[in-house]
Amino acid sequence: MRAKNVPAWTLRRTIPSDTSVGSALAHELVDAMLERKWPATDLFRVQLAYEEAIVNAIRHGNRHCSDKTVEVEMSCKEQEVCIRITDQGNGFDPAAIPDPRQQELLEVPGGRGVLLICEIMSEISFNDTGNQITMIKRREDFPPEQCGG
């Protein structure tokens, strides 16, 4: 059963480089998805992708610097969730991330977040600087082909 006539939910927050604060926002997103009757599998997947992206922004982007912040923008509609996370780091080149499925990287800890996000979300993009990710999930959509594999 799908939600009927539930208006779009939006959130825009600037948060400190603190993963616990970033994780708390995931609960608000899940609540918005529940109100719009998203399937449980999508709830789990979107929350996981969000958690990976917010941790990457805080840990790798801002390097846990207390004087840096992360901008989080999220919206949830009946058929689509959009998440944009922007850190104040120097950015990175997404194409330069090694594939963690390569034999020599299989037992190396870390390095799987972007791949996981690619596998979960319907669409992802980065700004030119590489310090902003935009993730879109369409209801019951399968992952895109753009992430390789």
Side-chain angles (χ1 to χ4, degrees):
M1 175 189 278
R2 298 217 169 137
K4 300 279 187 210
N5 300 322
V6 178
W9 168 88
T10 59
L11 175 142
R12 183 178 178 142
R13 298 252 173 82
T14 301
I15 63 168
S17 294
D18 180 335
T19 54
S20 64
V21 175
S23 293
L25 296 182
H27 300 296
E28 294 185 51
L29 176 60
V30 168
D31 287 346
M33 292 175 73
L34 281 168
E35 186 177 2
R36 284 149 192 85
K37 306 210 182 313
W38 278 70
T41 54
D42 284 343
L43 294 171
F44 172 77
R45 290 175 180 151
V46 169
Q47 182 176 358
L48 183 58
Y50 168 80
E51 293 278 356
E52 287 292 335
I54 199 72
V55 166
N56 282 349
I58 292 167
R59 180 181 297 154
H60 301 296
N62 287 354
R63 305 222 180 267
H64 292 283
C65 290
S66 60
D67 60 336
K68 293 184 178 181
T69 59
V70 177
E71 184 75 26
V72 178
E73 300 171 68
M74 298 188 277
S75 66
C76 180
K77 301 174 187 173
E78 182 182 334
Q79 295 297 319
E80 184 178 274
V81 170
C82 181
I83 302 167
R84 178 172 292 125
I85 298 173
T86 309
D87 62 59
Q88 294 181 321
N90 295 329
F92 74 108
D93 178 3
I97 298 174
D99 186 340
R101 297 169 293 188
Q102 294 176 17
Q103 186 64 36
E104 64 272 13
L105 298 176
L106 287 178
E107 296 191 31
V108 174
R112 290 166 179 78
V114 173
L115 176 66
L116 186 61
I117 291 168
C118 283
E119 294 295 325
I120 290 172
M121 301 301 280
S122 303
E123 185 178 323
I124 68 163
S125 61
F126 296 92
N127 67 355
D128 289 340
T129 307
N131 70 333
Q132 180 183 83
I133 184 171
T134 301
M135 306 178 288
I136 296 172
K137 178 66 176 171
R138 287 183 269 297
R139 186 185 289 266
E140 302 178 47
D141 199 8
F142 294 100
E145 297 297 320
Q146 72 196 34
C147 295

